[in-house]
Amino acid sequence: MRPVRRTAGGVYDGAVLLADWLPHAWTRTRTARLLAGGLFDGPLPDREIRAEIVDSARLATLRELTTAGRPVGGICRCPGGPTLALYDSDDRILGSATVHGHGRVSWERAGTRDDLETAAPMALALFLYEHGVGNVVGDLLAPLVLELGFHEESEGPQFRPASVPALLAERQVPEVLRDDLLGVAGNHAAELPQDRVSALAEQLAAAETDAVARATVLLNWLGRLPFPTEALWGEGVLVRRLLDTLPEAELVAAAGSGPPVVALGALNWAAHQPENRAVVAAVAPSLRRILP
């Protein structure tokens, strides 16, 4: 039984349809498949199956992750992906949903027109990662920023002003680099010439010879930058350039051994890489320790 649009008796409310239909569909579900693509990628039977879940415990976890939350009263404009399809004991489809960014799930959009903001977006992203589905870094990054309190303030400068030593200390910029960076504002840090970046990397290497330790202090610095402006486009550009001078194996080792703020820095770096599954695997234990 699919949800159908109700128009009689008042304003249409997709949240009511979700409450009526979704528990019934999940009660009958015996198989869940994660399928390639989103809303406009063709019939579900023709899709590539990325993962198939039949274990009752895993099904229960997936149900919780994709149904617990808050209806938002609207829909995301993107087509989403992957697609989650539910099947009964005879392998007949019961319904489907598309997964959208930042923990949104859109169940039977044509009937409900009301996305669900999930209660545990990081846990959902990690579940998808464990089942080999998609690039989940973006879906981990934003919730972790909010969880750790590093989203930029609505008031005040978006970039670090020059000549404020307290801000360098607050961001835990490596001490050996503070004098050189004191007079450089956050937006200008993103534009330093390569010879200056190389000199900073050499200074840091002379002060800390262990590459994993260097990666750890840089990831810690990157994780503490206010998100999104400074972390993505300001001083964060400089820190990522410094990280790029290190072997990836050492960076991944540092990502997996530090506290959540180091994991946040690692996800920031990983979001700018063509391949990032190793970083997600490294930070997953740290993230699970802080999941609700």
Side-chain angles (χ1 to χ4, degrees):
M1 180 180 67
R2 299 289 189 92
V4 293
R5 182 180 293 273
R6 293 177 181 170
T7 55
V11 177
Y12 163 72
D13 186 353
V16 171
L17 294 186
L18 283 177
D20 286 350
W21 169 78
L22 200 50
H24 177 72
W26 268 106
T27 297
R28 297 171 59 202
T29 295
R30 297 297 177 267
T31 302
R33 295 188 180 109
L34 292 164
L35 307 174
L39 288 169
F40 310 119
D41 289 304
L44 299 187
D46 297 338
R47 305 276 190 94
E48 176 190 353
I49 299 174
R50 296 288 181 81
E52 183 170 273
I53 298 130
V54 295
D55 175 74
S56 59
R58 301 300 288 172
L59 284 172
T61 297
L62 182 58
R63 175 178 179 172
E64 178 68 16
L65 293 175
T66 58
T67 62
R70 179 184 67 87
V72 299
I75 58 173
C76 173
R77 292 187 178 184
C78 80
T83 295
L84 169 61
L86 308 181
Y87 300 83
D88 66 12
S89 57
D90 294 318
D91 209 36
R92 292 175 300 202
I93 190 163
L94 298 167
S96 64
T98 44
V99 180
H100 295 257
H102 309 299
R104 279 195 178 192
V105 174
S106 189
W107 284 103
E108 292 292 327
R109 176 171 290 196
T112 63
R113 306 290 294 177
D114 194 1
D115 291 353
L116 186 75
E117 186 178 86
T118 59
M122 281 195 293
L124 175 58
L126 286 173
F127 186 97
L128 295 175
Y129 158 75
E130 288 171 349
H131 290 81
V133 177
N135 184 345
V136 302
V137 168
D139 293 332
L140 292 169
L141 186 60
L144 187 56
V145 167
L146 295 174
E147 180 72 25
L148 299 182
F150 287 111
H151 201 280
E152 67 187 26
E153 300 290 339
S154 58
E155 303 294 332
Q158 289 184 301
F159 296 102
R160 174 180 60 79
S163 305
V164 183
L167 278 179
L168 295 173
E170 179 181 309
R171 295 178 179 187
Q172 297 188 15
V173 176
E175 289 191 30
V176 69
L177 304 183
R178 291 183 191 177
D179 287 345
D180 285 287
L181 294 176
L182 180 59
V184 180
N187 54 330
H188 294 144
E191 303 166 353
L192 290 180
Q194 185 55 44
D195 60 345
R196 182 110 181 249
V197 176
S198 297
L200 292 170
E202 290 171 5
Q203 283 180 259
L204 184 58
E208 178 52 77
T209 58
D210 183 77
V212 175
R214 289 203 305 279
T216 301
V217 298
L218 289 172
L219 293 174
N220 178 66
W221 174 13
L222 184 57
R224 293 176 185 278
L225 297 178
F227 188 91
T229 307
E230 190 80 288
L232 298 182
W233 301 294
E235 198 168 289
V237 175
L238 169 61
V239 186
R240 289 193 297 273
R241 291 172 71 188
L242 292 170
L243 283 164
D244 286 341
T245 67
L246 295 168
E248 185 173 338
E250 276 72 8
L251 195 151
V252 171
S257 61
V261 69
V262 169
L264 176 55
L267 289 172
N268 185 329
W269 178 83
H272 295 82
Q273 308 305 312
E275 171 55 48
N276 48 44
R277 288 185 61 81
V279 169
V280 176
V283 303
S286 177
L287 299 185
R288 288 193 177 92
R289 286 194 289 271
I290 64 171
L291 288 175

